[in-house]
Amino acid sequence: MSAVLQSLVNQPYKHGFVTEIESDIAPKGLNEDTIRLISAKKNEPEWLLSFRLKAYQKWLTMTEPEWQNVHYPKIDFQAISYYSAPKPKKKLASMDEVDPELLRTFEKLGVPMHERAALAGVAVDVIFDSVSVATTYKQKLADVGIIFCSISEAVHTHPELIQKYLGTVVPVGDNYFAALNSAVFTDGSFCFIPKGVKCPMDLSTYFRINTEGSGQFERTLIIAEEDAAVSYLEGCTAPRFDTNQLHAAVVELVALDNADIKYSTVQNWYAGDENGIGGIYNFVTKRGLAKGRNSRISWTQVETGSAITWKYPSCILRGDNSVGEFYSVAVTNNYQQADTGTKMIHLGKNTRSTIVSKGISAGHSNSSYRGLVRIAPTAEGARNYSQCDSMLIGDQCGAHTFPYIQVHNNSAIVEHEASTSKIGEDQLFYFSQRGINAEEAVSMIINGFCKDVFQQLPMEFAVEATKLLSFKLEGSVG
Amino acid sequence: MIVNNSKTLLSVEGLRASINGTEILKGIDLTVKSGEIHAIMGLNGSGKSTLAKVLAGHSAYEITGGTIRFEDKDLLGLAPEERARSGLFLAFQYPIEIPGVANTQFLRLAYNTIQAQRGKEELDPLEFDDFVREKMKLLDMNPDFLDRSVNEGFSGGEKKRNEILQMALLEPKLSILDEMDSGLDIDALKTVANGVNQITNKDNATILVTHYQRLLDYVVPDFVHIMQSGSIVMTGGKELALELETRGYDWVTANKQSIAGAIA
């Protein structure tokens, strides 16, 4: 049986290749000069440089967190290069001008840009190692007043919005990795949906780390004004490397009165090999502020990659009647480690939150759900429902649940359910007796297990996620 | 039914099997021909369910002796899914639940897998829906079965019907029904038995594994085998089951030598 389990777990990483594009790389190491270099390279205004420097000063006083249930050697922050950009000959106006080598990379990743954009009606803001290369559908969105561009571009074109919102949800000194990101972030996406506008299409960004040894520090800011709505998709893959790469992104969402932001992620960074060598450290701070009345922030994530995932997409429910949602599938295999979950901070009256977390562990991996539900004294009538399910494949892996519940208002109703199940011999025998092989069986069991989360994903993402999960767990049972 | 010119589907000789070092099957001989219905009866622990699982290829059991031939194949050399694709079907005593997976999705995957093996056309979801609804009428099943998660929250009777529905869909050559009557009330038993009777024909064969005679009133066997301590100790016609019902298993223990000898 365990041999059977093992064989399904061990599948080489499909996206392991390096694209040969000339990169503009900053020297390794972090100090004020590095930050000034990044800021200068990006021709940034003074206020942003001081934002970065303030974050850096804060970061120097902080220590790397150790409370999470993951283990890795100390990161040498001086051995990382903090800036890396493909060298574009000129500013690109359309997809046709994109480096063909880059396009081939997307082909390999199964992301045919033209088709995807055209067929699916998705505007894709492409991030290739930290710098946005091309932005599609911009005009169409601009017609309804939506701004969707790289954050470096927005710094120049809409400085008032960036200044107003950057760092308001995740302050520069929020945590160790957020502080680091605030100091050295290179690029990311900016999205602004003005009052009353429902974004006519899903907005999508594909992230990809490319230069070996370079850190990646994405910064994303999404604002939905009163009565606005947007669905944002983020997908990640990374090529195969033996040295660990740090990925410390920050995502901030702000929803004003009656606004609705749905943020979906499929994360498939390189997870390391079957012996736990290599892989991405994915230390991400994602937080949404449901600032206005009746606003809603919904996080959906499918986390399948990275050697280590440390990530808690959270909602601060400040507006009365605001709603926070967190739907998560986290798959770990081989020696992957994931400590992920959410925080639901209820401040406003009648605020509601839902947490559905599905953890799947195979191989020697460890997966932890860590979630905080806090009902503040002001949150009259608040409600939370949490459901945390774990599934184990094989007998070498672990699943852990760390729920933190803090209720400071007696009118609140907080529910927490948890379960653990195992794909066992008898289940697989049932499938095999119907002629179905182990891989298909596992795929079906897992997809059933994750259904509540996949239902939350936009259609094409759900299909991708389903395939990805089967792929990730191939060889773990059989 | 016992038919002339029938061909041998299953031939078990001297089969021995153990689990965790304990021998459960201690030399089983059994021949099943097309058209036949066999009943294997015995007390709990006699090894009858183990025999069913071993025939289907459950990996927990170690085969320590003997042979199993299924048509012209050496069954012991085949993985469970290959046995299934060759036309061997096991209706489970305790079918597993698969939360979140719609029954229709599971049934279609199983059906198409077998179809592909037979070189026949696979059905898309709409075609399959028509097809499966027709089969469900055999078992008087409510169509909402299709949308519910596989076996999740099913009553005992619903689970058994779902097993027989799979038998109807997959059209196996040899079906082994493990304790099909357990947990069924008399109406459900009749419905399920009626379904089985409509599926059986001169080209396929059925093995009923059961503790009680009750089922055999509705699915009438051509042969009855009684198992004790891992061996078949008596074989007879359908009247053997009635005899057993009247006299109890103690009678078997006391008389197995002489009766077995007489019947053989």
Side-chain angles (χ1 to χ4, degrees):
Chain A
M1 182 64 183
S2 64
V4 158
L5 293 172
Q6 272 166 20
S7 67
L8 243 175
V9 187
N10 304 319
Q11 185 72 17
Y13 187 69
K14 240 189 193 171
H15 306 313
F17 46 82
V18 182
T19 307
E20 290 172 10
I21 291 180
E22 251 188 293
S23 284
D24 178 6
I25 304 176
K28 289 177 178 179
L30 180 56
N31 51 45
E32 283 208 7
D33 290 342
T34 319
I35 292 164
R36 288 179 193 280
L37 172 79
I38 294 168
S39 197
K41 283 255 186 202
K42 302 172 75 64
N43 198 18
E44 286 177 354
E46 189 58 34
W47 58 263
L48 192 49
L49 176 60
S50 63
F51 175 92
R52 290 176 181 279
L53 292 173
K54 195 172 124 196
Y56 176 64
Q57 288 307 326
K58 200 88 185 173
W59 181 74
L60 287 177
T61 67
M62 302 170 89
T63 51
E64 212 174 321
E66 288 176 346
W67 45 263
Q68 66 272 40
N69 188 27
V70 299
H71 307 279
Y72 58 94
K74 275 265 175 259
I75 298 169
D76 180 358
F77 291 95
Q78 298 306 331
I80 294 171
S81 164
Y82 289 86
Y83 183 79
S84 151
K87 277 179 184 160
K89 303 281 181 290
K90 56 180 184 252
K91 189 84 180 159
L92 301 173
S94 79
M95 286 300 296
D96 300 338
E97 298 176 31
V98 174
D99 187 329
E101 185 69 19
L102 178 58
L103 289 179
R104 272 194 290 277
T105 301
F106 284 114
E107 293 296 328
K108 284 191 214 169
L109 286 174
V111 187
M113 290 287 300
H114 318 278
E115 280 183 54
R116 180 170 283 270
L119 293 175
V122 173
V124 180
D125 180 10
V126 179
I127 304 291
F128 190 80
D129 262 40
S130 321
V131 165
S132 295
V133 179
T135 302
T136 52
Y137 281 78
K138 201 186 268 182
Q139 193 51 46
K140 197 169 168 184
L141 295 170
D143 290 345
V144 289
I146 292 172
I147 303 163
F148 180 42
C149 61
S150 76
I151 201 154
S152 352
E153 190 182 336
V155 165
H156 296 289
T157 55
H158 303 280
E160 72 294 346
L161 289 172
I162 304 294
Q163 250 184 310
K164 183 173 176 188
Y165 289 108
L166 189 72
T168 58
V169 185
V170 179
V172 293
D174 185 80
N175 67 68
Y176 190 77
F177 295 108
L180 180 65
N181 174 286
S182 300
V184 302
F185 73 88
T186 40
D187 215 336
S189 295
F190 175 70
C191 174
F192 177 82
I193 317 293
K195 194 169 173 173
V197 173
K198 312 279 182 225
C199 186
M201 64 187 84
D202 292 342
L203 301 181
S204 172
T205 302
Y206 275 80
F207 292 90
R208 182 164 162 78
I209 293 179
N210 194 54
T211 306
E212 187 166 8
S214 74
Q216 177 120 352
F217 304 93
E218 303 288 345
R219 187 88 192 191
T220 298
L221 178 59
I222 299 175
I223 317 295
E225 284 197 329
E226 292 85 350
D227 302 299
V230 62
S231 167
Y232 189 88
L233 320 181
E234 173 200 294
C236 319
T237 59
R240 173 168 206 145
F241 290 122
D242 287 330
T243 50
N244 287 303
Q245 289 186 303
L246 176 63
H247 176 81
V250 170
V251 175
E252 296 177 282
L253 313 180
V254 179
L256 303 186
D257 286 359
N258 306 310
D260 191 328
I261 302 177
K262 186 173 169 59
Y263 193 105
S264 311
T265 305
V266 172
Q267 186 265 114
N268 184 26
W269 301 104
Y270 178 50
D273 67 12
E274 65 276 14
N275 298 313
I277 308 299
I280 305 294
Y281 291 178
N282 191 27
F283 300 157
V284 180
T285 305
K286 289 183 168 176
R287 195 174 301 155
L289 175 61
K291 194 173 185 180
R293 293 175 58 85
N294 308 316
S295 56
R296 185 175 80 119
I297 297 217
S298 181
W299 299 100
T300 305
Q301 62 173 20
V302 177
E303 301 286 323
T304 67
S306 300
I308 303 175
T309 298
W310 178 92
K311 175 180 178 189
Y312 315 91
S314 303
C315 299
I316 300 170
L317 304 173
R318 184 184 292 164
D320 290 348
N321 309 319
S322 59
V323 174
E325 294 171 338
F326 174 74
Y327 297 95
S328 170
V329 166
V331 181
T332 53
N333 200 347
N334 297 321
Y335 287 88
Q336 277 180 281
Q337 307 174 66
D339 193 306
T340 184
T342 185
K343 290 189 275 188
M344 292 291 176
I345 313 291
H346 292 252
L347 302 174
K349 291 186 178 62
N350 301 315
T351 45
R352 280 169 293 143
S353 62
T354 303
I355 298 171
V356 177
S357 164
K358 306 278 181 176
I360 300 160
S361 315
H364 295 266
S365 70
N366 252 303
S367 170
S368 301
Y369 166 80
R370 189 183 301 277
L372 167 68
V373 175
R374 184 157 84 216
I375 311 288
T378 49
E380 198 70 31
R383 292 199 58 166
N384 161 266
Y385 172 74
S386 303
Q387 185 189 335
C388 304
D389 299 322
S390 307
M391 181 170 273
L392 304 172
I393 303 177
D395 51 12
Q396 304 291 314
C397 54
H400 315 269
T401 302
F402 303 98
Y404 303 84
I405 298 172
Q406 301 167 358
V407 179
H408 301 290
N409 186 307
N410 288 336
S411 65
I413 301 174
V414 176
E415 291 172 78
H416 181 93
E417 286 181 23
S419 77
T420 303
S421 53
K422 196 168 158 48
I423 296 186
E425 208 165 5
D426 284 331
Q427 277 173 301
L428 293 176
F429 180 58
Y430 188 70
F431 279 89
S432 63
Q433 218 303 302
R434 299 302 181 252
I436 300 166
N437 66 37
E439 290 183 9
E440 281 182 292
V442 169
S443 164
M444 191 168 247
I445 293 170
I446 293 292
N447 285 312
F449 178 70
C450 299
K451 195 177 90 178
D452 294 346
V453 175
F454 286 172
Q455 276 175 342
Q456 300 295 327
L457 289 171
M459 184 61 104
E460 65 271 28
F461 241 32
V463 172
E464 202 172 305
T466 305
K467 283 188 191 151
L468 189 57
L469 250 64
S470 309
F471 173 66
K472 286 296 290 191
L473 293 165
E474 243 172 62
S476 66
V477 187
Chain B
M1 78 203 85
I2 299 173
V3 288
N4 290 329
N5 305 320
S6 61
K7 61 173 185 172
T8 301
L9 282 177
L10 180 74
S11 170
V12 179
E13 285 176 24
L15 181 65
R16 307 181 85 92
S18 313
I19 186 164
N20 302 326
T22 306
E23 189 168 63
I24 309 289
L25 300 182
K26 300 169 183 171
I28 300 283
D29 297 305
L30 178 67
T31 301
V32 177
K33 294 180 175 175
S34 56
E36 295 175 353
I37 297 176
H38 290 244
I40 295 180
M41 302 185 70
L43 290 170
N44 290 335
S46 60
K48 59 191 192 302
S49 279
T50 296
L51 175 60
K53 286 184 203 163
V54 165
L55 290 174
H58 196 295
S59 59
Y61 298 92
E62 191 197 347
I63 309 303
T64 52
T67 58
I68 310 175
R69 293 201 72 79
F70 182 60
E71 294 191 294
D72 55 346
K73 298 182 191 74
D74 171 14
L75 204 64
L76 292 175
L78 300 181
E81 57 268 33
E82 294 168 322
R83 298 183 194 197
R85 291 174 200 161
S86 306
L88 187 146
F89 177 87
L90 173 63
F92 284 64
Q93 181 178 5
Y94 303 110
I96 65 143
E97 301 185 356
I98 317 168
V101 175
N103 207 14
T104 183
Q105 204 185 338
F106 173 73
L107 295 173
R108 191 169 74 90
L109 178 60
Y111 177 78
N112 280 342
T113 303
I114 301 286
Q115 287 292 100
Q117 173 74 20
R118 291 175 183 160
K120 291 186 184 167
E121 201 191 341
E122 298 180 33
L123 298 184
D124 69 30
L126 291 177
E127 293 165 337
F128 182 75
D129 192 65
D130 292 340
F131 178 69
V132 71
R133 278 169 192 267
E134 204 51 46
K135 295 282 183 188
M136 287 171 81
K137 288 180 188 164
L138 277 181
L139 292 152
D140 196 18
M141 288 171 84
N142 187 324
D144 75 8
F145 262 82
L146 294 173
D147 300 324
R148 291 164 65 185
S149 294
V150 182
N151 293 321
E152 195 188 29
F154 282 24
S155 69
E158 287 173 330
K159 283 183 180 169
K160 296 292 156 96
R161 280 185 215 202
N162 208 33
E163 292 296 290
I164 303 305
L165 174 64
Q166 291 170 54
M167 176 182 167
L169 286 172
L170 304 181
E171 298 179 343
K173 292 172 190 152
L174 175 66
S175 301
I176 304 162
L177 312 182
D178 191 7
E179 303 277 2
M180 196 186 75
D181 49 336
S182 68
L184 294 189
D185 62 35
I186 193 69
D187 292 330
L189 179 63
K190 280 184 188 167
T191 308
V192 169
N194 183 41
V196 171
N197 286 329
Q198 293 189 56
I199 299 164
T200 56
N201 58 42
K202 66 177 176 51
D203 296 319
N204 61 26
T206 307
I207 298 175
L208 308 166
V209 174
T210 182
H211 194 124
Y212 302 107
Q213 141 70 21
R214 188 174 77 138
L215 168 68
L216 308 182
D217 290 338
Y218 302 99
V219 182
V220 180
D222 302 301
F223 298 94
V224 173
H225 311 274
I226 298 175
M227 272 188 82
Q228 258 184 0
S229 312
S231 306
I232 291 176
V233 295
M234 279 190 195
T235 292
K238 63 182 177 195
E239 64 288 344
L240 178 58
L242 293 167
E243 185 91 36
L244 183 67
E245 178 80 354
T246 329
R247 303 198 179 206
Y249 281 100
D250 288 343
W251 165 75
V252 179
T253 313
N255 296 279
K256 61 187 177 190
Q257 292 310 328
S258 58
I259 295 174
I263 289 170

